[in-house]
Structures are given as structure tokens and as C-alpha cells.
Amino acid sequence: MAEVVGIKFREVGKIYYFDPIGIAFVKGERAIVETARGVECGDIAMENTDIDEREIVQPLKPIIRKATPADLQTVAENTEKEKKAFDIALKKIEQHRLNMKLVKVEYTFDNSKILFFYTAPSRVDFRELVKDLAGVFRVRIELRQIGVRDECKKLGGISVCGRPFCCGEFLSDFQPVSIKMAKEQGLSLNPTKISGACGRLMCCLKYEQDAYEHLLKITPKTGAIVDTPEGRGEVIDVNLITGILKVRLNKHPDAAPAVVPRAQVRILRDAEIHVGKKEREALKDMEGE
């Protein structure tokens, strides 16, 4: 076992383990640590805890110190400098006529590096831009291309449900979301109904997918042939949540469909849910990052 503290560097981000070097930390405190990006100031997200060493990515780096008032002042000053750097970078991008959208600028705590995050429809040759920015700021410059999901995560906003973006509020990692999930959940494959502000499929489609997969295993699908107390027929509508089926009976094909609970039917031949070629072609760009 090894004693660690968990630190995150963004409000919604991964938690990284560090050696507390005997210092007791309280959740919400801040600490100065060395990372792959350089020296950073992070938030304590997990207090001193003993965990299995197999869960640790070695080598476990030690914390440098608890953040002091002077350190917090540096963080505040860096935030102000980031705003100015953003405006300068926008002008430089325009001057170089580059097809890219600047999303965010971040200073490392020790001011040894500035990171510029951007989106672009294709690869961008930004070598001259980097030279220009390095001449202005006289520190190491790094440009990172990110996807539209990451853009929403960094900028934040309000989703169609009226709540802040999940990615900006609590999702530390993006989970794969597919068009088939939307179809299995009985949602309309209308892009405006199932896409988020990023233009990709909404992350929340993943939340209940396990439950829907279980219900699909025990519920006949639309098109299935079943036996009911009233006779044999074809399932023409399914409510997965309630388990209520509408079945067109073979003996009364023109009559109103029978309404039957799934527990009262026996599946003779089940159907499959699949995404048609036209549907997949129309929505193919919504599954990508």
C-alpha cells in the first residue's frame, strides 16, 4: 500500500495521484506539483489515502508544497495574462490567415510555457504563428488541436435540458456514443433532437444504455412474431420502459392491435434493431470526436 493524495487541475478533469510526503491535506486545498506540462497548481480532490501500489502509475511524484497565498496570487495573475494572450493570439491568427478557431489559452503555473488550444477542420501549418507568438511572449509556445467535444468541455454552456454541459460539469472522460444507442432507446434520429452543442451525439445517451440493453433482451422488438393470450401476431409497437406491446393479430389483421404486457407473450421469432444505410450516412459525422 502507498499513501497518496488525488489532485485535479481543471474543475472537471482527471484525478492524478501524488506523494503527499507526510503532509496532511484536506479536500479543496491547493498544492504545487510538477507535471508533464511543468510546475502546476492543482486542487486536492482526494485526501490522504492508502491505495494498492498496482493502481499507481510509477514513478509517483511528490508534492512540492501546499499552495501559499503568494502561489494563489500567481494563479490569479496567470488568469489575467491568459485573457490578454488570447486577444493577442486571435490577432496573430488573423494576420497569418490560418483556418483555425482559438478556444482557450493556458499558462503553466511557473510561466515556463503557454498552451493555445484550437479547433480546425484540417491540419494547420502554424510554424510561423508559433515563431510570432514566441517573439511576443518569449516563453515556450505550444499549440494543441482539440476536437469539438473538448471545445465544449473547456468553454462550458447550457444544454437543451436546461442544465450545464455534462462534459463541463462532471464528465472527466468522453464515452463512446453511437447512432445505434439512439435507435435502441427509441429516439428519433433527428440530428437536432439527439445532438449536443458540439454537434455530436449527446453524451447522456450512454447513461441508461445498460438498462435499455437489458430491456431489449427480455422484450420482443418491433416486427417480432409472438404468441399472446389472444392468438399469434406481429409486434408493431413497443414501449420498453412499461413493457407494453401492441400486437397485430393474424386472425384480426384489420382490427385494432391487441395491447399486451411483455410477460404474457412468447417470442417465436424476434426481430433486430439496425441502423439503415441512409440513416447511418446522414448521421455519420455525429459519432466522431
Side-chain angles (χ1 to χ4, degrees):
M1 302 292 283
E3 184 183 23
V4 302
V5 289
I7 293 181
K8 61 181 182 180
F9 300 97
R10 298 180 183 82
E11 186 174 348
V12 182
K14 293 181 181 179
I15 295 177
Y16 298 89
Y17 294 146
F18 287 86
D19 181 353
I21 58 173
I23 303 173
F25 285 91
V26 177
K27 191 174 180 180
E29 287 185 318
R30 309 190 81 177
I32 306 302
V33 296
E34 184 178 354
T35 71
R37 287 188 4 171
V39 178
E40 295 278 17
C41 180
D43 297 308
I44 302 296
M46 186 184 79
E47 299 175 358
N48 300 55
T49 306
D50 290 328
I51 66 170
D52 193 316
E53 292 191 14
R54 288 174 295 183
E55 298 181 31
I56 299 172
V57 177
Q58 298 290 352
L60 183 65
K61 291 188 176 182
I63 279 177
I64 296 174
R65 63 178 180 273
K66 278 191 177 184
T68 65
D71 292 330
L72 299 181
Q73 179 62 32
T74 298
V75 172
E77 290 172 357
N78 285 350
T79 300
E80 291 303 311
K81 288 192 288 188
E82 286 167 358
K83 295 176 183 177
K84 295 177 182 178
F86 188 95
D87 292 336
I88 292 171
L90 277 181
K91 294 176 182 177
K92 296 296 183 182
I93 290 171
E94 185 177 353
Q95 289 173 7
H96 288 275
R97 298 181 179 180
L98 296 175
N99 185 20
M100 57 192 291
K101 177 185 176 184
L102 186 63
V103 174
K104 194 172 184 181
V105 176
E106 294 180 4
Y107 269 79
T108 56
F109 173 78
D110 58 2
N111 281 216
S112 62
K113 184 195 302 183
I114 310 176
L115 296 99
F116 296 84
F117 298 91
Y118 72 94
T119 59
S122 58
R123 190 173 180 276
V124 178
D125 184 354
F126 49 66
R127 287 174 294 183
E128 293 303 316
L129 174 63
V130 170
K131 292 179 183 177
D132 208 351
L133 292 173
V136 173
F137 298 106
R138 301 194 178 281
V139 294
R140 184 180 172 187
I141 301 296
E142 188 171 321
L143 270 73
R144 291 187 182 178
Q145 184 171 358
I146 60 176
V148 289
R149 287 187 189 272
D150 290 299
E151 178 183 5
C152 280
K153 184 179 180 71
K154 285 184 175 295
L155 296 179
I158 303 298
S159 190
V160 292
C161 61
R163 295 184 56 83
F165 294 156
C166 294
C167 60
E169 191 171 40
F170 61 85
L171 287 181
S172 58
D173 290 302
F174 292 113
Q175 297 295 319
V177 186
S178 68
I179 297 168
K180 189 177 180 183
M181 286 183 186
K183 191 133 186 179
E184 288 176 341
Q185 294 177 28
L187 300 175
S188 166
L189 297 189
N190 182 334
T192 61
K193 300 289 187 181
I194 57 175
S195 64
C198 60
R200 301 294 188 260
L201 292 169
M202 293 189 293
C203 294
C204 55
L205 292 178
K206 181 71 174 178
Y207 300 165
E208 298 176 348
Q209 182 61 18
D210 290 344
Y212 276 100
E213 288 178 357
H214 168 71
L215 292 173
L216 285 166
K217 289 178 181 178
I218 62 173
T219 308
K221 303 171 186 65
T222 300
I225 305 301
V226 297
D227 271 341
T228 77
E230 300 180 47
R232 185 168 298 181
E234 178 184 353
V235 177
I236 61 171
D237 189 57
V238 177
N239 187 316
L240 275 177
I241 304 300
T242 64
I244 300 299
L245 315 174
K246 290 183 180 180
V247 180
R248 181 185 292 115
L249 299 175
N250 293 347
K251 62 183 179 181
H252 302 302
D254 297 326
V259 179
V260 191
R262 65 173 155 238
Q264 295 182 13
V265 306
R266 182 167 66 92
I267 302 173
L268 300 177
R269 186 179 74 243
D270 205 358
E272 292 185 3
I273 294 177
H274 68 277
V275 181
K277 185 177 180 181
K278 289 184 179 179
E279 292 173 323
R280 187 168 295 282
E281 186 66 25
L283 304 172
K284 64 179 181 179
D285 293 335
M286 295 175 62
E287 289 185 313
E289 289 298 323

